[in-house]
Amino acid sequence: MKTDKSNILALLRNSADFVSGQQICEKLGVSRTAVWKVINQLKEEGYQIESVSRRGYRLSASPDILSSSEIASRLTTKWAGQKLYYFDETGSTNIDAKKCAEEGAPHGTTVIANMQTAGRGRRGRMWQSPPGSAIYMTIMLKPDFAPDKASMLTLVMALSVADAIAETTGLQAGIKWPNDVVVNAKKVCGILTEMNVESDYIQHVVIGVGINTNNGSPEEFPEEIRQTATSLKIESGAHISRAALIERVLFHFEKNYDMFVSTLDLSGLMEAYDKRLLNLDAEVRVLDPKGEYSGIARGINSSGELLVEKDNGDIVQVYAGEVSVRGVYGYV
Ligand code: ATP
C-alpha cells in the first residue's frame, strides 16, 4: 500500500539533491503540514534528513530500517506485497499469513517481521530467527490450480531468492535442491511452503522465507548450525539493506510465479533453476526414509523433481516431500 509516508520516502530516496516542500506537495498532492509531519516521523524512526531553508529536504542516510513504509516506498510489483503487514516481533510469519488469508486478505499479501519467536522449517524443524539481522517474510497466495502443483512453488521461490541475493550483493547464490539457498557452501536461506486445502481446492498457500542477512559473525549462530549456516554480510563483508532485498525477492517472485502459472509447471524456469543448482552433475546422497542411495544429480524435471542417475544408469525422479539431499562430502 502506498501512503503519503511511503511516497515521500520514495521521492527523497530517488532525488540526489534537495527537494523542496513545495515540490513534494505538488508531486504528491499533499498539504505542507502533512509533509512536515511525515518528515518529523521519519527523523524519529532514524532516517537522517537534512532540512535547509529555501532548499528543502535531503535524505542523507537511511539505516537498515524495516517498516511497512520503507518496504512500500521501494515496491515495483503489481500484486506481490502490495498488501503488507510488518511486525517487530511475531511467532511465525507463516502463521500470521494464514490468518490474513482466512480473514479475506488478497493474493500476494505479505507479512514481514524483524524477529520470530517460533520460526519453523520443514518437518517440524526449527528456523533460528534472531532479531534485527535477518529477513523473515511470508507471501500468501490464493491460486486457482490443483493442490498437487503447489510443491513446485518452493522451487519458484528458491530461484527468486537466489536471483534477488545475486542482484543485491553480487554474491554467487546457489540452490541446494529443493529449497535451500546457499552461498559459499553454507545455507543463507530456508523456505517453508504450507497450504490449506478443502475438498481438493486450494484455499491458500503461504511461502515463508528466512534469509540470514546482517548476522555479523559465525558465533551469532547456535552451535548446531555454525558449520552449515552463514549470512550475506559474513560472505560479502557489506551491510545489506533488508528492505532493498525484500523488494527484489518480491519482484523476482512475481515475475517467476506468473511464468509458472502460464504453464502450471517449471518448464519456463527449469533452465534458470538448473544454472543455480549446486549439485548439478555432482554426486549426491539421497536421504530417503525408505532407504538411502547415491547417484549423480542431473537437474530437475518440469515438475521440480530432482533427476538422480544411479550407478546402473537408472534415473530416479526424487520427489521433495520427505527427502533431503546431501553432497557426498558434506551439506552441499
Ligand atoms: P535439508 O534439506 O538440508 O535437510 P531442510 O530443507 O529440510 O534441510 P529447512 O526446513 O529448510 O531444512 O530448515 C530447517 C533446518 O535448517 C534446521 O534443521 C537447521 O539445521 C537449519 N537452520 C535453522 N535455522 C537456520 C538459520 N537461521 N540459518 C541456516 N540454517 C538454519
Side-chain angles (χ1 to χ4, degrees):
M1 278 157 296
K2 300 278 184 202
T3 56
D4 287 349
K5 196 167 170 184
S6 65
N7 285 333
I8 291 174
L9 201 47
L11 193 60
L12 292 178
R13 185 180 309 107
N14 298 329
S15 318
D17 203 359
F18 283 86
V19 191
S20 73
Q22 186 63 29
Q23 282 172 311
I24 301 178
C25 295
E26 281 168 13
K27 277 208 172 130
L28 303 177
V30 293
S31 68
R32 280 302 266 262
T33 336
V35 173
W36 183 80
K37 260 194 181 155
V38 167
I39 296 282
N40 281 338
Q41 281 172 8
L42 291 172
K43 283 182 180 168
E44 265 168 38
E45 286 170 24
Y47 293 92
Q48 286 175 32
I49 298 173
E50 295 168 73
S51 328
V52 176
S53 66
R54 274 194 288 260
R55 295 191 69 189
Y57 306 102
R58 184 166 67 179
L59 184 62
S60 42
S62 36
D64 180 25
I65 289 172
L66 259 194
S67 65
S68 302
S69 316
E70 174 66 27
I71 298 158
S73 74
R74 294 171 179 269
L75 281 186
T76 54
T77 52
K78 291 190 282 297
W79 53 265
Q82 285 299 332
K83 177 113 186 135
L84 202 75
Y85 293 92
Y86 169 78
F87 301 111
D88 265 333
E89 179 180 331
T90 193
S92 141
T93 54
N94 268 23
I95 292 175
D96 296 330
K98 287 182 204 173
K99 215 162 125 216
C100 291
E102 277 150 21
E103 287 165 359
H107 177 79
T109 296
T110 299
V111 179
I112 290 164
N114 188 47
M115 159 181 192
Q116 294 187 121
T117 51
R120 291 166 305 137
R122 298 199 298 164
R123 290 164 278 169
R125 294 169 171 181
M126 286 276 294
W127 185 259
Q128 304 290 342
S129 309
S133 52
I135 290 171
Y136 312 108
M137 65 187 282
T138 297
I139 185 163
M140 184 274 287
L141 308 168
K142 294 193 165 167
D144 196 14
F145 48 72
D148 64 343
K149 307 275 180 210
S151 63
M152 287 185 264
L153 293 174
T154 297
L155 284 80
V156 175
M157 183 55 94
L159 175 62
S160 309
V161 171
D163 286 348
I165 289 176
E167 205 176 316
T168 311
T169 64
L171 289 167
Q172 288 204 343
I175 300 173
K176 186 175 86 66
W177 179 89
N179 66 341
D180 291 350
V181 180
V182 170
V183 173
N184 295 332
K186 292 185 169 185
K187 182 160 163 177
V188 289
C189 166
I191 297 168
L192 177 66
T193 301
E194 297 175 289
M195 70 173 155
N196 186 312
V197 177
E198 262 169 46
S199 47
D200 227 23
Y201 177 82
I202 300 181
Q203 299 284 321
H204 56 258
V205 180
V206 298
I207 310 176
V209 176
I211 308 177
N212 303 327
T213 313
N214 290 321
N215 316 58
S217 72
E219 286 67 43
E220 288 181 30
F221 292 104
E223 183 79 55
E224 67 271 19
I225 59 169
R226 215 165 280 164
Q227 299 305 317
T228 51
T230 191
S231 77
L232 300 175
K233 185 173 181 187
I234 295 171
E235 298 306 321
S236 69
H239 195 87
I240 284 118
S241 155
R242 287 176 293 167
L245 182 55
I246 289 169
E247 185 280 319
R248 284 292 89 188
V249 171
L250 290 169
F251 169 83
H252 284 287
F253 182 76
E254 180 174 285
K255 181 169 51 77
N256 290 334
Y257 178 85
D258 288 343
M259 166 73 91
F260 164 75
V261 167
S262 70
T263 54
L264 283 185
D265 66 15
L266 297 170
S267 47
L269 299 170
M270 269 162 72
E271 205 183 307
Y273 185 95
D274 278 350
K275 276 200 185 130
R276 296 213 174 268
L277 189 61
L278 290 165
N279 297 113
L280 189 67
D281 296 328
E283 193 168 1
V284 292
R285 191 145 186 82
V286 181
L287 310 181
D288 187 331
K290 292 192 212 93
E292 294 184 19
Y293 55 89
S294 301
I296 309 285
R298 295 295 186 202
I300 58 166
N301 63 16
S302 61
S303 318
E305 290 157 340
L306 185 68
L307 304 175
V308 175
E309 187 178 335
K310 286 182 152 180
D311 283 352
N312 62 5
D314 285 355
I315 302 227
V316 191
Q317 301 181 358
V318 185
Y319 178 73
E322 290 297 310
V323 167
S324 288
V325 166
R326 295 274 180 274
V328 278
Y329 299 113
Y331 165 68
V332 178

